[in-house]
Amino acid sequence: AQSVTQPDIHITVSEGASLELRCNYSYGATPYLFWYVQSPGQGLQLLLKYFSGDTLVQGIKGFEAEFKRSQSSFNLRKPSVHWSDAAEYFCAVGDTGTYKYIFGTGTRLKVLA
Amino acid sequence: NAGVTQTPKFRVLKTGQSMTLLCAQDMNHEYMYWYRQDPGMGLRLIHYSVGEGTTAKGEVPDGYNVSRLKKQNFLLGLESAAPSQTSVYFCASSYEGRGVDQPQHFGDGTRLSIL
């Protein structure tokens, strides 16, 4: 069955440090991949998406993600974290066979001043 | 530019009561979804719809019903609320594109407590 794994439940980084959030997926075909961010009390907002082509995709707020088919990964990165990046981050894959989206359990990011 | 609007934003129910959560989108999206979000469990799909008049079950459909009588609205009903249904409920919609190649647009959630 298709699945998405975010191995890190919590991550803490200092402001200005680099960030990498991990996402691994299990999907038979070429995946449609997404990263979303959720601030407290809010809904999810799209950061970036991957369909095909260039495996390094740029998103909003300075985030980028790299699709690595050989590792079944789609890790999210940011070179320098800002305090406002503290939030929960979700990786998702679109299941073309069922019209559903499968979400990981999320990674909560804490940023230290 | 409302996007996806959920009403109500908060609600407290007693066990056994019924209620309906409303989701409205103004983007002419074909697909709509209801999720529940519980700590440590991410988003779990309750029901979804790929077009007006159609609905389908997600991974946790028990105790919920849905209707999509108009394209812009997707209603989630709890017939007899149970404490296990205490959760934050999110509605999402997406353009059909080539299926699930389009991102979802989310509402701000409904926080529901069942006493």
Side-chain angles (χ1 to χ4, degrees):
Chain A
Q2 295 83 358
S3 64
V4 175
T5 301
Q6 294 180 247
D8 304 305
I9 299 174
H10 298 279
I11 282 186
T12 300
V13 299
S14 297
E15 190 170 21
S18 63
L19 172 69
E20 182 169 26
L21 302 182
R22 296 183 289 166
C23 173
N24 294 98
Y25 66 90
S26 172
Y27 191 73
T30 299
Y32 298 132
L33 294 162
F34 308 87
W35 273 102
Y36 293 87
V37 60
Q38 184 183 31
S39 298
Q42 302 292 317
L44 279 70
Q45 178 187 17
L46 179 72
L47 283 176
L48 48 78
K49 58 188 179 183
Y50 170 79
F51 301 152
S52 63
D54 193 346
T55 56
L56 185 64
V57 295
Q58 301 297 321
I60 63 172
K61 304 184 180 185
F63 284 92
E64 65 179 25
E66 186 171 13
F67 171 63
K68 292 185 178 180
R69 183 186 300 275
S70 62
Q71 299 178 18
S72 297
S73 68
F74 188 55
N75 294 348
L76 183 71
R77 301 194 296 244
K78 187 170 185 178
S80 178
V81 170
H82 188 263
W83 64 266
S84 61
D85 293 324
E88 190 155 21
Y89 292 80
F90 291 93
C91 181
V93 62
D95 182 351
T96 55
T98 64
Y99 301 100
K100 300 177 188 177
Y101 297 81
I102 301 162
F103 285 81
T105 52
T107 297
R108 186 171 297 277
L109 174 66
K110 182 178 180 179
V111 180
L112 301 177
Chain B
N1 190 17
V4 177
T5 303
Q6 293 183 231
T7 52
K9 295 189 184 304
F10 303 92
R11 186 74 184 268
V12 179
L13 290 178
K14 294 182 180 179
T15 298
Q17 288 185 318
S18 63
M19 79 161 295
T20 300
L21 281 65
L22 172 63
C23 176
Q25 52 95 4
D26 61 1
M27 297 170 284
N28 202 36
H29 284 169
E30 204 67 37
Y31 301 162
M32 296 187 75
Y33 303 78
W34 275 108
Y35 296 92
R36 59 177 290 172
Q37 183 178 34
D38 302 291
M41 304 190 75
L43 275 77
R44 292 185 291 169
L45 182 64
I46 304 171
H47 287 280
Y48 64 105
S49 168
V50 298
E52 181 179 317
T54 73
T55 62
K57 294 180 179 180
E59 62 177 308
V60 289
D62 294 342
Y64 305 95
N65 57 73
V66 288
S67 63
R68 183 103 181 264
L69 299 180
K70 294 183 178 180
K71 186 177 184 178
Q72 64 268 34
N73 295 337
F74 195 29
L75 279 62
L76 178 70
L78 285 72
E79 294 181 342
S80 179
S84 61
Q85 294 177 305
T86 293
S87 188
V88 182
Y89 292 85
F90 286 99
C91 176
S93 70
S94 60
Y95 175 62
E96 67 270 27
R98 288 172 288 177
V100 290
D101 62 323
Q102 301 297 311
Q104 293 184 298
H105 297 252
F106 284 83
D108 286 337
T110 295
R111 283 143 188 84
L112 183 61
S113 293
I114 315 295
L115 304 179

